[in-house]
Amino acid sequence: KPWVAFYANGLVAELPEGSVEDVLARVREKRCDVLVVDERWSASTRPRLAPLLDPGMAPPGLRVLHESDSPRRIVLYDASGLR
């Protein structure tokens, strides 16, 4: 989400096409601090990331920073635990 990085004064790291493991590998490679998973975006373009919309299914190393269901599901994870 480029707007998240913009408002956080951060940088954008493009997510690769692929599995949750592929995304986590990119997060580690780029040393990302936050991973944003948005139902509006992932449901249509990256359906294999849908499990990350449920924090109960999140892999070890990801910690929920914020989640909301309005207007659509979005979860922000602290990804620093993946380093």
Side-chain angles (χ1 to χ4, degrees), residues 4 7 29 32 44 59:
V4 174
Y7 288 112
E29 172 192 339
C32 297
S44 62

Side-chain angles (χ1 to χ4, degrees), residues 13-16 19-37 49 52 59-62 77-83:
E14 286 293 322
L15 296 180
S19 68
V20 170
E21 282 306 316
D22 295 330
V23 169
L24 297 180
R26 176 67 57 86
V27 167
R28 288 183 194 96
E29 172 192 339
K30 297 293 184 180
R31 300 182 54 78
C32 297
D33 295 318
V34 177
L35 174 63
V36 179
V37 183
L49 301 185
L52 292 176
L62 292 178
Y77 288 102
D78 175 351
S80 62
L82 294 173
R83 294 187 212 150

Side-chain angles (χ1 to χ4, degrees), residues 36-78:
V36 179
V37 183
D38 182 346
E39 179 181 37
R40 181 179 50 193
W41 175 77
S42 64
S44 62
T45 63
R46 306 277 174 86
R48 295 194 316 179
L49 301 185
L52 292 176
L53 291 167
D54 177 2
M57 301 290 292
L62 292 178
R63 183 180 61 86
V64 174
L65 292 172
H66 180 77
E67 59 183 305
S68 177
D69 289 315
S70 179
R72 303 277 301 267
R73 182 96 176 125
I74 188 170
V75 183
L76 281 71
Y77 288 102
D78 175 351

Side-chain angles (χ1 to χ4, degrees), residues 1-16:
K1 303 290 159 214
W3 54 88
V4 174
F6 174 81
Y7 288 112
N9 290 321
L11 301 173
V12 175
E14 286 293 322
L15 296 180

